[in-house]
Amino acid sequence: MKNGPTFIQWTRKCWRQTISLTRGNTLNYEARDCGKIVSVLVRPAERKSVGKDCSAKVSGCLPAMGYSFAAGTTDGPGAFDFTQGTTTSNPLWNAVRDFIAEPTEEDIACHAPKPILLATGRARFPYEWQPHVVSCTVARIGGLLVAAVPGEFTTMSGRRLRRLLSSTSSVRRVVLAGLSNVYSDYIATPEEYQAQRYEAASTIFGPHTLDIYLNKYVELTKAVMTGEDLEPGPSPPDFSDQLITLVPPVLWDASPWGKEFGDCVQQPQKYYSYGDVVTASFVSGHPRNNARHGRWYAAVERLQSEEDDAWVVVATDADWETKYIWQRSSKIMGTSHALLEWEIPAGTEPGTYRLHHYGDYKYILGGIYPYHGFSDSFQVS
């Protein structure tokens, strides 16, 4: 795609990559170009440092937190007398660390001069304590380049990344969007890492973390600017089917006598205009029966063809002008209702609309079943 001549004709390009910065493993990342997903493999031993010595080969470490992490960000001793700037270990805390997860000698050498307080890369129960694979994104909108970074870059780390991407691309402005997609704590410069204050002790992939990020974001930026394709590679682990929750489960759902799940018990008015709030209430099941990832509990639909009874979604509960409010009517009977609200934005296309509610209910004898229901139609003018 070519960049448009004006900001009204923006070209949108983005690359999204998931990167494994761990030493001894393959450096994995996934790339996305406006809907097309590509994955790439790069070995960490082959990663080149983007710094003064561009020929130096560096690698990342398995995640680990240093002693100064426990001191916090304020000057002076933290809890249990931990202090910032600590570069030596303590036998007592090492014993506590090893009971949780013991680092190898290679881990200790890789993270030096950071003494390891928590070998998070070795901890596996109940899940990985910190990510081994992180997501990096570069998006271009006209003359703006957005680098979505998966952690907290220190001021100097951020300046180095912005300066490098500015020189790599021809855009007018580079913006860093921190804490994007996944959280991998801090990213300190190699110089800051030697001092081992809080941010450096929280740089989990070792002293060359920033070098690896700089290298990858340059590669992403070049791909965005040139339209380069990247070779496929593996995806990060998915723990969604192993989640542990302490929230009490839903026992059951029930509908009021003579009603079914999805029935609209409070209908909207017949006519509305801009700025009015449309309200409808439905017999509902508990929303925790189904998180509906990538879907919605509430939608606003416009009649597209009366002859075919075809409706098109114009807003969902993800939009600012809508609200989905669930309330349990009776804990004993298990009845509940969902209140859907839509504040009609200015400029809404006149026509026939309705509110549509989706959900799942839990049967008292077991099983979770989907339902849906919609309100009477109303006119917007």
Side-chain angles (χ1 to χ4, degrees):
M1 292 184 292
K2 296 182 179 179
N3 188 29
T6 69
F7 281 97
I8 297 177
Q9 298 175 322
W10 277 346
T11 292
R12 296 178 298 169
K13 287 187 176 182
C14 62
W15 285 101
R16 175 180 178 272
Q17 302 182 334
T18 56
I19 305 175
S20 172
L21 296 106
T22 56
R23 172 187 47 77
N25 294 318
T26 303
L27 193 62
N28 310 322
Y29 55 94
E30 178 185 278
R32 180 187 301 273
D33 185 357
C34 294
K36 184 177 83 172
I37 299 178
V38 183
S39 298
V40 180
L41 286 121
V42 182
R43 297 193 178 278
E46 299 170 353
R47 297 315 316 147
K48 293 184 179 180
S49 170
V50 182
K52 295 181 179 179
D53 181 5
C54 291
S55 65
K57 294 183 177 180
V58 299
S59 62
C61 314
L62 282 175
M65 304 293 283
Y67 271 63
S68 296
F69 145 76
T73 57
T74 58
D75 291 329
F80 301 103
D81 209 34
F82 284 104
T83 59
Q84 294 196 69
T86 299
T87 56
T88 57
S89 62
N90 177 288
L92 173 61
W93 290 114
N94 284 353
V96 175
R97 172 201 67 194
D98 294 348
F99 178 78
I100 299 172
E102 184 176 0
T104 65
E105 291 298 325
E106 291 178 291
D107 295 337
I108 295 172
C110 184
H111 280 276
K114 176 172 71 181
I116 297 176
L117 178 63
L118 291 173
T120 51
R122 300 288 177 183
R124 301 284 182 175
F125 180 80
Y127 319 107
E128 293 180 356
W129 282 30
Q130 287 181 317
H132 293 226
V133 177
V134 298
S135 177
C136 300
T137 304
V138 170
R140 179 188 176 191
I141 307 174
L144 173 67
L145 191 74
V146 179
V149 296
E152 300 182 65
F153 276 58
T154 64
T155 300
M156 188 53 66
S157 293
R159 287 176 177 174
R160 291 182 184 179
L161 179 57
R162 286 178 57 186
R163 183 172 62 247
L164 194 60
L165 298 190
S166 294
S167 62
T168 302
S169 65
S170 58
V171 299
R172 290 186 292 273
R173 186 180 181 190
V174 176
V175 173
L176 303 189
L179 309 186
S180 298
N181 303 319
V182 68
Y183 183 64
S184 60
D185 284 87
Y186 283 83
I187 297 91
T189 67
E191 296 85 354
E192 291 168 334
Y193 193 89
Q194 300 303 310
Q196 276 303 297
R197 291 181 65 81
Y198 173 81
E199 293 81 5
S202 303
T203 299
I204 63 176
F205 297 114
H208 301 297
T209 301
L210 177 61
D211 288 329
I212 297 174
Y213 275 122
L214 293 178
N215 186 282
K216 299 314 301 175
Y217 277 99
V218 166
E219 187 174 352
L220 284 171
T221 301
K222 290 180 179 178
V224 167
M225 302 303 295
T226 63
E228 175 189 357
D229 288 329
L230 304 174
E231 295 299 324
S235 299
D238 183 1
F239 302 111
S240 59
D241 59 345
Q242 306 173 34
L243 296 180
I244 296 174
T245 177
L246 301 179
V247 178
V250 178
L251 298 180
W252 74 85
D253 292 300
S255 58
W257 181 260
K259 300 292 183 181
E260 300 289 340
F261 288 102
D263 285 352
C264 186
V265 294
Q266 178 188 337
Q267 296 288 353
Q269 302 174 24
K270 293 296 183 181
Y271 302 96
Y272 292 92
S273 187
Y274 304 146
D276 293 340
V277 178
V278 183
T279 302
S281 181
F282 295 83
V283 178
S284 176
H286 202 297
R288 283 201 283 111
N289 290 326
N290 187 339
R292 304 189 63 80
H293 293 301
R295 296 173 291 170
W296 46 78
Y297 296 98
V300 180
E301 299 174 340
R302 185 181 69 249
L303 182 61
Q304 194 172 41
S305 172
E306 187 172 2
E307 182 180 351
D308 299 327
D309 193 29
W311 297 79
V312 60
V313 175
V314 297
T316 70
D317 49 33
D319 291 286
W320 287 108
E321 63 266 24
T322 62
K323 288 183 180 179
Y324 167 75
I325 305 170
W326 177 86
Q327 289 183 331
R328 180 67 90 182
S329 304
S330 172
K331 294 182 180 180
I332 298 176
M333 300 300 296
T335 56
S336 57
H337 68 275
L339 186 67
L340 274 58
E341 294 183 359
W342 178 43
E343 183 177 353
I344 304 175
T348 298
E349 181 179 344
T352 302
Y353 290 79
R354 71 182 182 185
L355 302 183
H356 202 152
H357 170 49
Y358 300 85
D360 295 78
Y361 70 90
K362 188 171 185 178
Y363 187 48
I364 191 171
L365 297 181
I368 295 177
Y369 303 94
Y371 69 87
H372 72 100
F374 41 81
S375 70
D376 292 343
S377 61
F378 54 89
Q379 298 294 320
V380 174
S381 59

